[in-house]
Amino acid sequence: MSSTHWIKDADIEWEILDENCKRKIMAFNEGLMIVKVHFKKGGIGAIHQHIHTQGSYVESGVFEVIIGNEKKILKQGDVFFIPPSIDHGVVALEEGVLVDSFNPMRADFIQ
């Protein structure tokens, strides 16, 4: 990761997670991490939980978002917010990108 304050999307390579999902870790320090996640239609972010607070912005596409026992359909421009240790996941109903922010940063993403 560069020590600059300016991050250009084109300078960061995608990390392939599976055949339907890839991510770019855009920036981070100990207190905050910003990650772009690209999903093909039908891609799944499996139900999981973590100790981090997460805010996610729907940059593009349509997603079914599950938080706890609730499901909602979110589209471009929408946001969802997840407190620590709550089950959550997504299904891409259309190809799209989520921009996730985590507090504190996800050390497990950079190991």
Side-chain angles (χ1 to χ4, degrees):
M1 170 111 332
S2 173
S3 63
T4 182
H5 297 285
W6 315 106
I7 294 102
K8 294 191 173 199
D9 181 69
D11 293 341
I12 301 171
E13 296 292 324
W14 287 103
E15 174 188 355
I16 304 300
L17 301 176
D18 63 36
E19 65 276 358
N20 292 310
C21 188
K22 58 187 177 179
R23 75 176 168 215
K24 287 186 182 190
I25 298 173
M26 301 301 295
F28 65 91
N29 64 18
E30 288 183 11
L32 180 66
M33 177 178 270
I34 301 169
V35 180
K36 287 176 70 168
V37 188
H38 177 271
F39 292 86
K40 292 181 183 175
K41 182 177 180 176
I44 296 172
I47 300 292
H48 65 286
Q49 62 173 266
H50 42 72
I51 63 165
H52 313 84
T53 297
Q54 177 178 339
S56 296
Y57 171 75
V58 182
E59 179 181 294
S60 61
V62 178
F63 292 86
E64 178 183 71
V65 180
I66 301 103
I67 302 173
N69 295 323
E70 288 188 84
K71 288 184 185 181
K72 301 280 184 193
I73 305 299
L74 298 182
K75 299 178 180 179
Q76 183 177 15
D78 294 337
V79 170
F80 55 99
F81 186 79
I82 306 160
S85 303
I86 301 292
D87 285 340
H88 61 282
V90 300
V91 176
L93 303 178
E94 293 180 6
E95 182 173 2
V97 174
L98 297 177
V99 179
D100 297 334
S101 57
F102 299 98
N103 175 357
M105 61 89 81
R106 296 281 307 258
D108 57 317
F109 281 12
I110 58 169
Q111 294 179 10

